[in-house]
Amino acid sequence: MALAGSDSMEEGKGETFLLKAIKIGGVVVLYWFISITMVFLNNYLLDSKDLDAPLFVTFYQCLVTVGLCYGMHLLSHLCPGVIDFPSVKFDLKVCREVLPLSIVFIGMITFNNLCLKHVGVAFYTVGRSLSTVFNVLLSYVILKQTTSFYAILCCGIILGGFWLGVDQEGVAGSLSWTGVFFGVLASRVMPAVDGNIWKLSFYNNINACILFLPLILVFGEVGHLVHFSRLGDPTFWGMMTLGGVFGFAIGYVTGLQIKFTSPLTHNVSGTAKACAQTVIAVVYNQSSKSFLWWTSNLMVLGGSSAYTWVKGMEMKKVHIPQEESKEKLLGEKSDAGV
């Protein structure tokens, strides 16, 4: 989704440095606000003592995302000069083609929410920190891609921070092995996809809504819903809907931040956001954390930042020789009169 006229950064070439800096700063702040608010809002919804139905909460948020995608599709037709959004008409064939990815998507969002439910916001970053480690392992096992020594060293730092964090949560008496388990599972099923992100989101969430229904029945959440005292409370449904809106918005602001900065800067911003999110959670909950607990978070965040930087440098080293080879080839063709 984009506002009309914002499809290319080349339009801003005549802008002053200050204006560009303000725009980039605004986009980063918007990404931080949406992302951090969404995590705290989901934690509030999932941590309810009255309603133990995390699958239903996730199902409803997927339902809201489907509705918002269809609503933006209609608005793009009503206001073609203002809103640009791809067509998201339902196609059963596309649903079937996307289904394998949707299963991974369901696993990711379900385990994310279950991890958040059991470990809370403060430990959430550490609990889900193994995404990078599993990414390296699966790249080697499935794609036979080797990883540099420095990247592996960064993974070692992340892994050390994870185990130290688990140890310190255990010392503090607040460790949830269930939350850690779901965090590890969420790290393993984190997908990386190409193509139109909004169409993919639309079909993923449609499939998720369908597949969540039998899961809600199997795990007995219908009984929890029937006995939930706030089922008719507009405030509860307002918070649930808001959670879905923020889940939809995170996709837009993520793409916006990458567009105005770069994928590498986006990853650095995400790491810094996770650090701020952890500090906010500790302050908000008025928790007292040990020096080693903070060390575990710094190891995870520092290792993640270092890994991002190392991979960025490696990509540049690969990209520059390719560009030089292209220039050399073009020069040879020019000399030959081609």
Side-chain angles (χ1 to χ4, degrees):
M1 180 178 66
L3 294 177
S6 63
D7 293 330
S8 175
M9 288 294 292
E10 293 180 359
E11 296 178 6
K13 283 185 175 179
E15 294 176 345
T16 63
F17 172 79
L18 179 61
L19 186 57
K20 286 182 181 179
I22 291 173
K23 281 187 175 182
I24 292 172
V27 167
V28 172
V29 169
L30 182 63
Y31 168 78
W32 279 41
F33 172 75
I34 295 291
S35 183
I36 292 175
T37 304
M38 183 183 71
V39 171
F40 276 90
L41 185 57
N42 280 341
N43 179 246
Y44 168 79
L45 292 170
L46 294 164
D47 198 34
S48 173
K49 300 297 185 294
D50 298 326
L51 179 63
D52 185 18
L55 294 177
F56 173 74
V57 172
T58 311
F59 158 78
Y60 184 79
Q61 291 180 346
C62 290
L63 195 64
V64 171
T65 298
V66 172
L68 287 171
C69 284
Y70 192 71
M72 292 305 302
H73 162 68
L74 294 178
L75 286 174
S76 67
H77 284 283
L78 295 174
C79 311
V82 179
I83 296 174
D84 176 29
F85 200 86
S87 174
V88 290
K89 293 179 181 178
F90 178 77
D91 188 328
L92 185 59
K93 182 182 177 182
V94 177
C95 265
R96 287 198 301 266
E97 290 174 351
V98 176
L99 183 59
L101 183 61
S102 297
I103 294 172
V104 178
F105 168 75
I106 290 168
M108 182 190 71
I109 58 175
T110 301
F111 295 137
N112 270 345
N113 281 349
L114 287 171
C115 175
L116 187 60
K117 174 182 175 63
H118 289 282
V119 304
V121 178
F123 191 66
Y124 181 62
T125 300
V126 175
R128 286 194 59 258
S129 62
L130 298 186
S131 297
T132 301
V133 177
F134 280 114
N135 181 47
V136 171
L137 287 174
L138 293 176
S139 294
Y140 177 75
V141 172
I142 298 173
L143 304 176
K144 305 302 179 184
Q145 292 180 351
T146 57
T147 305
S148 68
F149 169 76
Y150 290 110
I152 293 175
L153 183 61
C154 294
C155 290
I157 295 171
I158 295 171
L159 194 58
F162 172 80
W163 283 115
L164 180 59
V166 170
D167 174 72
Q168 289 303 298
E169 284 288 303
V171 170
S174 55
L175 176 64
S176 168
W177 280 109
T178 304
V180 172
F181 173 73
F182 286 129
V184 172
L185 286 179
S187 300
R188 290 189 62 180
V189 298
M190 184 69 71
V193 297
D194 297 316
N196 191 300
I197 188 64
W198 293 113
K199 282 188 177 181
L200 181 62
S201 177
F202 177 72
Y203 284 106
N204 265 343
N205 281 278
I206 284 181
N207 285 338
C209 288
I210 296 170
L211 294 174
F212 267 128
L213 290 174
L215 290 175
I216 290 170
L217 289 171
V218 169
F219 285 92
E221 292 193 359
V222 174
H224 292 292
L225 289 169
V226 170
H227 295 96
F228 182 49
S229 59
R230 296 179 58 195
L231 204 57
D233 185 357
T235 303
F236 167 75
W237 289 107
M239 295 294 285
M240 289 276 286
T241 304
L242 190 61
V245 171
F246 273 89
F248 174 83
I250 192 64
Y252 173 60
V253 295
T254 296
L256 200 63
Q257 180 168 251
I258 293 172
K259 177 180 177 180
F260 275 80
T261 57
S262 69
L264 178 60
T265 304
H266 166 68
N267 286 335
V268 173
S269 174
T271 303
K273 186 273 303 183
C275 180
Q277 181 176 285
T278 301
V279 173
I280 292 171
V282 172
V283 173
Y284 177 78
N285 293 320
Q286 297 181 338
S287 305
S288 178
K289 301 296 183 182
S290 68
F291 173 77
L292 288 177
W293 188 93
W294 285 109
T295 301
S296 72
N297 277 267
L298 290 175
M299 287 176 67
V300 166
L301 295 168
S304 300
S305 297
Y307 179 85
T308 300
W309 181 80
V310 167
K311 296 303 288 185
M313 295 300 293
E314 290 176 356
M315 289 176 65
K316 283 184 179 180
K317 287 180 181 179
V318 173
H319 179 71
I320 291 173
Q322 288 177 345
E323 290 297 320
E324 290 176 349
S325 298
K326 288 179 182 178
E327 290 176 1
K328 184 179 179 181
L329 181 62
L330 289 172
E332 290 173 353
K333 286 183 177 180
S334 178
D335 291 340
V338 178

